[in-house]
Amino acid sequence: MSFCIAVDGPAGAGKSTIAKLVAKKMNLIYVDTGAMYRAMAYYLISQNTDLANGQEISEKCQGADIRIVYENGEQVVILNGENVNPYLRTEEVGNAASVSSANGSVRAKLVELQQRMAEDTDLIMDGRDIGTCVLPKAQLKIYLTASSRVRALRRYHELVAKGQACNLEEIEADIIDRDYRDMNREISPLKQAADAVLLDTSDMTIEEVVGKIISLAEERK
Ligand code: DC
């Protein structure tokens, strides 16, 4: 059986930064499931889908063939034969993903792909429902969080470093909205699995969080 670490938590908690570092140090494959939901949202936008219409999302999502490949250790999402990584990290796609990921047909399709990946590969997978739904038997489950202010500040500094104009209050309001949608949807809402370890990273450095997860993982190997 493969060795799996499940990492869940709200937007901006640092899941991907932390999971990538743990993957490198422990020689695991890193699976970013948010990128799959983003690729699906990107496809739905490209098909002019009305995201308020669940029936339309259920029908149109069947036209998206999503695959994951690795190039130089980086996850690449292939949508209908095309590498869509360059288009996934915009606010528009992120917000659309938060809406379309509430749809049962979208989730069924992507969860199946995620479970297949974990069948025979040692990995660390991050998302919103990994410990609760995708990998209920993961050897280690982490629920990573931080206050909305700290998460907004991290995002703000990222955007400022890229030279993009932004407003901290707006970023925090967006994060609070996204949390609400992700935590209150009917299917697989974001919540801490009963057997997950809670890590609040508001006052922790990246190195501290990575070290903590590796020591927990070593205990369970
Ligand atoms: O982690 P992220 O910001 O890339 O995720 C984008 C959206 O996808 C997020 O708002 C909720 C959704 N998502 C999900 O529903 N389940 C997952 N396992 C991962 C992401």
Side-chain angles (χ1 to χ4, degrees):
M1 199 187 137
S2 57
F3 181 79
C4 297
I5 304 178
V7 181
D8 292 300
K15 298 185 298 293
S16 65
T17 305
I18 302 290
K20 263 186 208 161
L21 289 167
V22 173
K24 209 171 227 168
K25 294 206 172 170
M26 294 193 69
N27 203 20
L28 304 170
I29 292 282
Y30 166 53
V31 184
D32 170 4
T33 64
M36 301 180 193
Y37 287 95
R38 284 170 182 263
M40 181 60 89
Y42 175 76
Y43 173 78
L44 293 169
I45 294 169
S46 76
Q47 299 300 303
N48 297 317
T49 313
D50 174 6
L51 294 180
N53 184 334
Q55 182 64 31
E56 192 176 329
I57 295 178
S58 298
E59 282 164 23
K60 289 210 170 137
C61 79
Q62 304 307 334
D65 177 42
I66 293 176
R67 289 163 206 254
I68 301 296
V69 297
Y70 286 85
E71 281 176 13
N72 305 320
E74 282 290 309
Q75 170 179 302
V76 176
V77 187
I78 308 289
L79 168 68
N80 295 335
E82 184 196 358
N83 172 357
V84 289
N85 272 21
Y87 316 120
L88 303 183
R89 309 253 32 116
T90 67
E91 296 303 307
E92 185 200 8
V93 171
N95 286 327
S98 172
V99 175
S100 57
S101 63
N103 180 279
S105 310
V106 167
R107 298 205 76 80
K109 214 171 149 104
L110 297 182
V111 167
E112 198 212 333
L113 171 62
Q114 292 152 13
Q115 289 177 333
R116 253 191 287 127
M117 291 180 78
E119 267 169 17
D120 51 9
T121 307
D122 292 345
L123 50 78
I124 179 164
M125 186 179 280
D126 77 1
R128 304 291 188 289
D129 61 338
I130 310 305
T132 51
C133 168
V134 180
L135 304 177
K137 295 198 176 135
Q139 285 84 347
L140 175 62
K141 298 179 186 177
I142 302 289
Y143 190 84
L144 205 65
T145 190
S147 68
S148 60
R149 194 64 173 184
V150 166
R151 290 184 283 132
L153 271 167
R154 288 177 186 161
R155 182 82 188 123
Y156 175 82
H157 291 308
E158 245 174 57
L159 292 170
V160 168
K162 282 190 203 158
Q164 289 180 28
C166 56
N167 172 304
L168 180 61
E169 302 304 327
E170 274 173 24
I171 295 174
E172 187 175 6
D174 219 40
I175 281 184
I176 292 171
D177 262 12
R178 182 109 78 92
D179 287 354
Y180 184 85
R181 269 201 304 272
D182 294 347
M183 291 174 178
N184 290 284
R185 65 183 180 216
E186 245 166 68
I187 311 171
S188 313
L190 167 64
K191 64 170 194 252
Q192 186 182 339
D195 52 351
V197 177
L198 173 69
L199 288 181
D200 185 324
T201 68
S202 302
D203 299 311
M204 287 173 88
T205 63
I206 292 175
E207 293 70 30
E208 283 171 335
V209 181
V210 169
K212 177 79 188 165
I213 294 178
I214 292 177
S215 75
L216 287 166
E218 297 293 354
E219 280 168 19
R220 289 155 202 239
K221 261 201 150 170

